[in-house]
Amino acid sequence: MFTGDSITDCQRLESEGGLGFGYPLRVAGEWGLQHPDRPVAWLNTAHGGDKVTDLEARWQTDVLDARPDVVSIRVGVNDMGWHTLGPKGYVIPVEEFAAGYDRLLAPLAEAGAKLILIEPFLLPIHGVVEAGAALIGEEERREWRIDLDPKIQAVRNLARRYGAHLLAADGMFAELAATDGPEYWAADGVHPTPAGHAALAAAWLRLVAWPGLTIPID
């Protein structure tokens, strides 16, 4: 199961099969191509705009009731930018973010689900972009980066605590952007381009290939 915000959602409700057009679809397609003898039921319950608290409100019905064997979570960008994007938004303290994320993971760990945590990321693009009614420029991105870094560290700490596999997406995209430019991977600094989704999918599949993380087969 994939879940999280718009980066995972990718219009899943409008897509055939419900996986959207982004990295979950690419993961499922590549897995099917490479392992036709190992069928997997793929699910995507992400919602665009979600913060950790939004996930928590739907966690029972969207995730726990499905009793998934493997859960991949990618959330945090809206927790970073809510004070800019939401009319009632405020700066979410890292302690609040981490505590909510912990409450998401605890019942999954108790049920024996294998966990993949994808770091939130922000690419250092140039210029001003629209995000809903807000205009996001260099100053906003500097503020977001200051807010995001401790939240990334919180995700890393939770991955260690729960024995989850961590996809270090922020560092991965920083390294890629150093060669090809940040806009190549995420035009607005947040939502991946097709190449960005392909990079996420490839990194996800490398994690699955690690010893101890094999997708269960019925």
Side-chain angles (χ1 to χ4, degrees), residues 94-192:
V94 65
E95 295 82 6
E96 181 179 328
F97 171 80
Y101 209 139
D102 191 11
R103 290 191 295 270
L104 299 179
L105 299 178
L108 291 171
E110 185 177 350
K114 296 176 181 177
L115 302 173
I116 301 172
L117 307 188
I118 304 176
E119 289 178 355
F121 50 85
L122 178 66
L123 277 74
I125 64 165
H126 305 287
V128 177
V129 296
E130 293 184 11
L135 296 177
I136 309 301
E138 301 291 338
E139 182 59 33
E140 287 78 13
R141 281 190 289 275
R142 279 194 292 270
E143 292 177 0
W144 284 8
R145 172 49 69 180
I146 292 171
D147 184 86
L148 184 63
D149 282 344
K151 290 183 168 72
I152 290 174
Q153 188 59 51
V155 175
R156 293 172 179 172
N157 293 342
L158 287 167
R160 284 194 293 269
R161 181 184 306 169
Y162 284 97
H165 291 279
L166 177 73
L167 200 168
D170 190 62
M172 178 189 77
F173 277 121
E175 185 175 345
L176 292 171
T179 301
D180 300 298
E183 289 83 0
Y184 183 79
W185 303 102
D188 63 358
V190 171
H191 296 90

Side-chain angles (χ1 to χ4, degrees), residues 7 12 18 29 42-43 46 67 71 74 87 90 122 126 132 138 141 192 206 214:
I7 294 165
R12 65 180 177 85
W42 302 94
L43 301 174
R67 300 175 64 186
V71 181
R74 193 274 174 210
Y90 60 87
L122 178 66
H126 305 287
E138 301 291 338
R141 281 190 289 275
R206 286 194 296 271
T214 55

Side-chain angles (χ1 to χ4, degrees), residues 8-139:
T8 304
D9 181 342
C10 291
Q11 301 177 5
R12 65 180 177 85
L13 294 178
E14 292 78 38
S15 68
E16 185 176 353
L19 288 178
F21 62 77
Y23 75 91
L25 178 65
R26 292 172 180 267
V27 166
E30 185 64 25
W31 181 272
L33 177 64
Q34 298 296 330
H35 306 287
D37 58 330
R38 301 176 67 187
V40 171
W42 302 94
L43 301 174
N44 184 349
T45 62
H47 290 254
D50 267 8
K51 306 180 297 300
V52 162
T53 53
D54 301 309
L55 289 181
E56 192 173 2
R58 291 189 291 267
W59 203 241
Q60 185 67 48
T61 55
D62 278 9
V63 177
L64 300 180
D65 286 351
R67 300 175 64 186
D69 298 298
V70 178
V71 181
S72 175
I73 306 170
R74 193 274 174 210
V75 69
V77 162
N78 296 303
D79 297 84
M80 166 195 73
W82 192 40
H83 65 286
T84 306
L85 304 174
K88 297 182 180 180
Y90 60 87
V91 175
I92 297 174
V94 65
E95 295 82 6
E96 181 179 328
F97 171 80
Y101 209 139
D102 191 11
R103 290 191 295 270
L104 299 179
L105 299 178
L108 291 171
E110 185 177 350
K114 296 176 181 177
L115 302 173
I116 301 172
L117 307 188
I118 304 176
E119 289 178 355
F121 50 85
L122 178 66
L123 277 74
I125 64 165
H126 305 287
V128 177
V129 296
E130 293 184 11
L135 296 177
I136 309 301
E138 301 291 338
E139 182 59 33

